[in-house]
Amino acid sequence: MFPENFLWGGATAASQVEGGFDQGGRGLDTQDMRPGNFQCTRQQKNDWKYKKMTREKFEKARRCQEKGEYPFRWGSEQYTHYQEDIALFAEMGMKVYRMSVSWSRIYPNGDDERPNPEGLAHYKNIFQECHKYGIKVFVTMLHYAVPVHLIDAYGGWKSRKMIDLYLRYARTLFEQFGDDVDYWLPFNEINAGRFHPYNGVGIIEEEEEHVDQTVFQCLHHQFIANALTVKLARSMVPGKPVGCMIARFCHYPATCSPEDNLTQLQDEQYTNWFYTDVMVRGKYPAYMDRYFRGKQVSVRFEEGDRELLAAWTVDFVAFSYYFTQVSTADANWEKTDGNLVIANKNPYLKSSEWGWQMDPTGLRITLNQIYDRYQKPVFIAENGLGAVDRLEADGSVHDGYRIDYLKSHIQAMGDALEDGVDLIGYTPWGIIDLVSCGSVEMSKRYGVIYVDADDEGHGTFQRYRKDSFYWYQECIRQNGNVKLI
Ligand code: BGP
């Protein structure tokens, strides 16, 4: 049974939905620089070669002042459609909207002395629109998109100076929107630094001599920024919960061999637990010492860092959940795609059109594991099915496959609640169609609301209700009792 006050919602990120990259005084950000690879096949778009950032691509993007071949520059044009979008969220009965603020809309260069008033006004309008319908607001402060100037001038999160600049931005958000926002999340999927360094920590890998060393130092700076943001929140927005978030990679051992089980334990530690252990328990876990030694990584701590991490831990644990994978000591195990990673295939699971292995039971397992470890409220900040949808002539979209996906995962959430997990909210990803983060295309749709635009940005950008829209509306009305729907 879902509790009465359960937070049913939907999630988006500014860089993927907002567009208006050259409107309202916004500066360029790191996502604006990622090309759509229009001439590539779906398979190529998912190839790391096309996903990763290089200096050449970065400089080419800088030379292009137009929208060009850069889909994040238009997204779903929510910048001008936000009233309509929020009205649709309200019609569905959404209780909470998880969205991100674009750093470069508030501080166009990232290190400006003063915030951009037009950017502040834009988000004020969005929040007021949400309040009009009684929708709570859950803000991700940094969802991958860093002002480009910070990459040029400081090398992204490599520099400790980023902590101060991030804090300046955080202070502005708390000052301006302290009363408007109900839940704060300093970093989207903080473990992204490890699996997509450009998105996560703003570095171009080919320029790094020792990528692991750089990445973990950057992550340390983000952990400190996270702790200082929690500290700031305690004084500026007391009582407002601040969470942490990872992209959760649930692993099963391939066999019951001790080797596979050890591999599974370590995969879980290195891809998941390290990050939440630091932000929830307040210190680097012992198991990372050996990992760092093996990779010849030595993270530089400044005086007082350990105390900061210990003192300012988060209130809730959020995660994204899309698929599960297999842990094995066998390097030749068959592979498939996953969320910005290559995963080992599980013969018991079916995959989405993008190769992500769908697994509602894995969600129940994950929820239990996280709650069991931390005893803190848990929030599913992202989940959903990326699929190709067809808009019919009458404006309908028959996406029964998405309904099946949502239904089975919500059922698993209900089971986890019965198991005793303190699950407080669910914000399915891309509740309205938006540009995919991994493959930078519109055809991979997650929404229950369809946006009429193609990969190259052609279309009316009109919104349409899919079949899943009506299903989710009913699910919220029945408070998650999917047996009734
Ligand atoms: C997460 C990101 C989102 C989102 C989602 C789906 O990693 O936080 O921004 O896009 O994955 O991934 P994709 O868009 O690649 O299908």
Side-chain angles (χ1 to χ4, degrees), residues 162-215:
M162 284 291 278
I163 301 174
D164 299 337
L165 298 169
Y166 179 86
L167 261 287
R168 181 186 299 180
Y169 165 60
R171 179 180 290 279
T172 301
L173 296 187
F174 291 154
E175 245 164 37
Q176 299 285 329
F177 307 125
D179 293 335
D180 297 304
V181 175
D182 301 280
Y183 297 87
W184 291 97
L185 179 66
F187 291 93
N188 178 63
E189 298 182 334
I190 202 165
N191 52 343
R194 186 76 190 83
F195 58 86
H196 197 306
Y198 177 75
N199 277 4
V201 294
I203 60 162
I204 297 175
E205 270 177 273
E206 66 185 12
E207 297 180 340
E208 298 305 319
E209 238 171 73
H210 187 344
V211 177
D212 288 321
Q213 172 63 36
T214 306
V215 162

Side-chain angles (χ1 to χ4, degrees), residues 12-13 15-16 46 51 72 98 143-144 188-189 192 195 199 245 247 320 322 338-340 354 356 382 386 429-430 434-441 444 446:
T12 62
S15 65
Q16 293 168 258
N46 276 291
K51 280 185 184 169
F72 293 115
R98 175 182 174 230
H143 194 127
Y144 294 157
N188 178 63
E189 298 182 334
F195 58 86
N199 277 4
M245 178 188 173
S320 62
Y322 293 95
N339 190 2
L340 298 172
W354 270 263
W356 299 19
E382 288 181 30
W429 176 249
L434 38 67
V435 176
S436 114
C437 176
S439 42
V440 198
E441 62 189 321
K444 189 183 188 188
Y446 286 85

Side-chain angles (χ1 to χ4, degrees), residues 368-407:
N368 271 277
Q369 287 172 331
I370 293 179
Y371 187 61
D372 199 28
R373 192 170 182 110
Y374 302 120
Q375 307 283 302
K376 293 264 184 204
V378 184
F379 201 117
I380 303 170
E382 288 181 30
N383 168 243
L385 176 68
V388 174
D389 293 329
R390 201 175 72 219
L391 179 67
E392 307 291 347
D394 64 358
S396 58
V397 177
H398 303 304
D399 59 343
Y401 37 89
R402 185 167 292 107
I403 295 174
D404 292 345
Y405 183 100
L406 291 173
K407 188 172 185 170

